[in-house]
Amino acid sequence: MDSDDDYTKDGTMDIYKRPANKKKTGTWKACPYILGDEACERLAYYGMSTNLVNYIQKRLNLGVAASSKAVNNWSGTCYVTPLIGAFLADAYLGRYWTIAGFSFLYIIGMTLLTLSASVKGIRPCNNGTCNPTSSQRAAFFVSIYLIAFGTGGIKPCVSSFGADQFDDNDENEKKKKSSFFNWFYLSINVGALIASSVLVYIQSNVGWGLGFGVPAVAMAIALVFFFSGTRLYRLQPPAGSPLTRIFQVFVASIRKCHVKTPHDDALLYETADTESIIVASRKLEHSDEFRFFDKAAVEAESDKVDGLVNPWRLCTVTQVEEVKSIIRLLPIWATGIVFSCVYGQMSTMFVNQGNVMDNHIGPHFRIPSACLSIFDTVSVIFWAPVYDLFIVPLARKYTGNERGFTQLQRMGIGLVISVFAMACAAVLETIRLDMVRKNNYYDSEYVPLSIFWQVPQYFLIGCAEVFTFIGQLEFFYDQAPDAMRSLCSALCLTTTALGNYLSSLLVTIVMNVTTRHGKFGWIPDELNRGHLDYFYWLLAFLSIINFFIYLWISKWYTYKKIAGKT
């Protein structure tokens, strides 16, 4: 029989208290609620963000470059705020209450956005005329930045919360966890599929009020899904401030900078208990990198006061290894920024490119350019199960790795595919501009080149996502210290933020450099007179450089090791 101590207050078994030899059941039982919550949340997020660049252009009267930068800056904020949510989750609230609390803030932002697009007086357009006032623009930007803060508590926690349902000490559950990340990302794109098709059509052809109202309702349904699975969840308790533990290692190391580190690692300080003194964290095995920080674990007489260890003078090996794990992750993290910059073009430059192509289906129906992102979603929905069910077993025969590819190999494959995606977009734009020059289409609303020629670039981006983004989710969860998993998931997400900021910076630089001497530049408001293809080639070139840097970094990466495991 299991003792009462093996269970959490909600009656479910606590993965961190359960003895390893006890039967493990119910691993997948909580997952449908988590996946349903994520699908609805992403329906809400993509439902308001996919077509956002067009709303800003057409309703707030901003130009192509200005609207693209506005979306990039907002999207970047959506992926910076997870650092706040992750810190609160790991340190004080736990992932469950962080997701719940920030979801309410998200719903408030969605509601205000809906009102700003539909209620007379605060909506920017009336009787078909759009003359937005400063207060109307303020209402819009306040609402979307409330959403940015709301999503900051959800994005870093949901994937980690789902992975928490699987026991790392059990090999069968550990294998299933790898599949969970594939299905988790699939659920994201199920929501995105509806958003990029149905909702974009509603926004473009019915009205923005309804187009934003449906995502607001979807977010409310997401919260219902999440709370419905409460009795089944395995909960990881908060372990105190991870930043405090990191600073303690730095301070203790600097204080002992003149102390000699012993050659025998067994002489470094670690508790005699089988469990780490860090709540909900397993002990980590000592590693040889960054040995300067080992000084924090060298014992001295002044480290204890009245028999108690001063954590600002003496840290355990596990605490030191936490810091080393974070440092090892940073170079891999940095190489994800350029990839995220490429990914961000789907909601900005790809949409603008589609705006000047023929979007007719038959004589009367016109497909909104933002709807083309549906092919990115379809690509992910296709490749995620194909990867899990076919590619992994096939690769396993040749690599001998249980996961088919290592996480680092998987991410690298995605980086290569992203280069082809940008090259494909650049070639299409070159062809389009050649038609403009040959047929004098400079002042035409669109070029008679079907918008569906954009499908390959969207499809390739989706394929790259399955390899790189899912690989990142799994990699950052596995390689993060147990008590810092939300923080490391947030760190992973910040590559998307920095990728959007990088895109915004590149647009600014390109516009400043290429518009000198009265020239239109690469990205003018009238794209028929620009050279968007050059911008795409620039991103392809940066992606190639980024890939070779990634190869060099990944070659020297050392995986985290749990103490007592081979």
Side-chain angles (χ1 to χ4, degrees):
M1 293 292 291
D2 299 323
S3 69
D4 292 339
D5 290 338
D6 293 335
Y7 291 83
T8 58
K9 292 180 180 180
D10 64 7
T12 60
M13 185 168 280
D14 189 334
I15 192 171
Y16 295 98
K17 293 182 180 178
R18 181 182 55 205
N21 61 346
K22 292 191 177 180
K23 186 178 180 181
K24 302 164 180 65
T25 59
T27 301
W28 280 98
K29 287 183 179 179
C31 290
Y33 298 97
I34 298 170
L35 296 178
D37 166 72
E38 184 62 11
C40 290
E41 188 274 327
R42 289 311 174 102
L43 169 59
Y45 178 79
Y46 288 113
M48 59 79 55
S49 65
T50 301
N51 208 19
L52 197 62
V53 68
N54 278 332
Y55 181 85
I56 295 174
Q57 282 183 37
K58 296 175 181 178
R59 294 295 185 269
L60 301 184
N61 295 342
L62 296 184
V64 171
S67 60
S68 295
K69 287 193 289 184
V71 172
N72 282 328
N73 291 336
W74 171 78
S75 184
T77 304
C78 287
Y79 288 91
V80 167
T81 53
L83 290 172
I84 300 172
F87 174 78
L88 292 174
D90 283 342
Y92 304 112
L93 301 178
R95 286 188 260 278
Y96 176 86
W97 288 110
T98 301
I99 294 170
F102 278 78
S103 292
F104 283 108
L105 182 62
Y106 199 130
I107 292 173
I108 293 171
M110 288 299 307
T111 302
L112 179 58
L113 177 63
T114 303
L115 294 175
S116 73
S118 57
V119 176
K120 187 175 181 180
I122 60 174
R123 68 187 182 198
C125 297
N126 291 285
N127 300 321
T129 303
C130 297
N131 295 305
T133 64
S134 57
S135 59
Q136 289 169 341
R137 284 179 173 171
F140 168 78
F141 282 108
V142 166
S143 65
I144 65 172
Y145 277 92
L146 275 175
I147 293 169
F149 278 95
T151 195
I154 300 172
K155 287 183 186 294
C157 296
V158 175
S159 61
S160 297
F161 186 71
D164 285 345
Q165 312 308 311
F166 301 84
D167 189 350
D168 280 336
N169 294 316
D170 181 87
E171 287 302 318
N172 289 327
E173 291 199 16
K174 194 172 182 180
K175 292 176 185 176
K176 292 176 182 177
K177 184 180 69 177
S178 182
S179 292
F180 166 78
F181 283 107
N182 286 316
W183 293 106
F184 175 82
Y185 205 78
L186 181 64
S187 71
I188 291 175
N189 283 273
V190 168
L193 178 65
I194 300 172
S196 57
S197 55
V198 177
L199 291 181
V200 169
Y201 178 81
I202 290 173
Q203 290 164 357
S204 301
N205 296 279
V206 180
W208 289 96
L210 180 61
F212 288 146
V214 173
V217 173
M219 191 59 220
I221 295 174
L223 196 57
V224 172
F225 260 112
F226 181 72
F227 282 133
S228 296
T230 297
R231 291 284 299 172
L232 299 172
Y233 296 146
R234 291 167 170 175
L235 305 179
Q236 177 179 351
S241 172
L243 297 181
T244 299
R245 294 197 303 277
I246 291 173
F247 287 137
Q248 284 171 344
V249 173
F250 274 90
V251 171
S253 300
I254 293 171
R255 279 178 166 174
K256 296 178 179 179
C257 62
H258 299 298
V259 173
K260 187 176 181 181
T261 305
H263 293 289
D264 187 356
D265 299 336
L267 297 177
L268 296 174
Y269 174 69
E270 182 59 276
T271 58
D273 299 332
T274 55
E275 298 293 329
S276 168
I277 60 172
I278 302 169
V279 177
S281 179
R282 295 165 294 177
K283 285 186 177 180
L284 296 176
E285 188 175 296
H286 177 265
S287 61
D288 291 328
E289 294 92 356
F290 314 114
R291 292 189 67 88
F292 172 80
F293 295 108
D294 290 343
K295 295 177 184 292
V298 177
E299 294 190 61
E301 292 183 5
S302 59
D303 293 338
K304 296 182 179 180
V305 180
D306 296 329
L308 298 176
V309 172
N310 181 347
W312 294 94
R313 288 185 173 273
L314 181 63
C315 305
T316 63
V317 169
T318 296
Q319 191 174 343
V320 171
E321 289 302 316
E322 279 190 334
V323 174
K324 290 184 180 181
S325 295
I326 298 297
I327 294 174
R328 281 195 292 265
L329 285 172
L330 289 178
I332 299 294
W333 164 83
T335 58
I337 296 173
V338 172
F339 178 83
S340 294
C341 179
V342 168
Y343 175 77
Q345 303 312 307
M346 283 198 306
S347 60
T348 54
M349 294 306 173
F350 282 13
V351 175
N352 288 319
Q353 183 184 29
N355 286 340
V356 288
M357 297 179 70
D358 184 5
N359 62 349
H360 288 85
I361 301 178
H364 305 295
F365 184 79
R366 299 180 67 175
I367 182 172
S369 59
C371 275
L372 266 291
S373 63
I374 192 175
F375 292 101
D376 163 73
T377 306
V378 168
S379 179
V380 172
I381 291 174
F382 171 77
W383 284 110
V386 166
Y387 181 88
D388 198 47
L389 299 175
F390 298 103
I391 296 178
V392 169
L394 181 63
R396 189 182 295 141
K397 294 180 181 179
Y398 296 97
T399 64
N401 188 291
E402 189 61 35
R403 294 170 172 172
F405 298 106
T406 66
Q407 294 155 348
L408 290 172
Q409 288 171 338
R410 180 175 185 172
M411 289 187 284
I413 293 170
L415 295 182
V416 172
I417 296 172
S418 71
V419 174
F420 288 101
M422 294 317 302
C424 186
V427 169
L428 175 62
E429 183 65 7
T430 300
I431 294 171
R432 194 190 70 80
L433 290 174
D434 188 54
M435 291 181 64
V436 170
R437 286 190 293 270
K438 288 181 178 179
N439 299 281
N440 195 28
Y441 289 139
Y442 291 104
D443 297 317
S444 299
E445 180 184 357
Y446 61 87
V447 173
L449 181 66
S450 175
I451 194 174
F452 288 104
W453 283 108
Q454 283 191 306
V455 170
Q457 64 202 55
Y458 280 101
F459 197 80
L460 285 171
I461 289 287
C463 183
E465 280 182 72
V466 170
F467 283 90
T468 298
F469 276 158
I470 300 178
Q472 283 180 341
L473 281 174
E474 187 177 356
F475 178 76
F476 276 80
Y477 182 88
D478 276 358
Q479 295 305 303
D482 291 343
M484 294 186 183
R485 279 173 164 165
S486 294
L487 188 65
C488 287
S489 292
L491 186 66
C492 172
L493 292 169
T494 57
T495 61
T496 304
L498 294 176
N500 279 281
Y501 292 145
L502 174 61
S503 180
S504 183
L505 177 63
L506 287 174
V507 170
T508 300
I509 294 173
V510 164
M511 289 300 292
N512 287 338
V513 172
T514 62
T515 56
R516 292 174 181 173
H517 309 299
K519 295 181 180 178
F520 284 100
W522 289 3
I523 317 172
D525 289 342
E526 297 178 13
L527 288 181
N528 289 340
R529 301 180 185 277
H531 264 294
L532 185 58
D533 53 336
Y534 291 174
F535 183 71
Y536 287 151
W537 283 121
L538 173 63
L539 289 177
F541 178 69
L542 291 176
S543 297
I544 292 171
I545 295 175
N546 183 64
F547 172 69
F548 283 108
I549 294 173
Y550 173 83
L551 283 182
W552 180 75
I553 292 171
S554 60
K555 180 180 179 181
W556 300 105
Y557 184 82
T558 303
Y559 285 87
K560 177 187 76 175
K561 293 182 180 179
I562 304 299
K565 287 193 174 185
T566 57

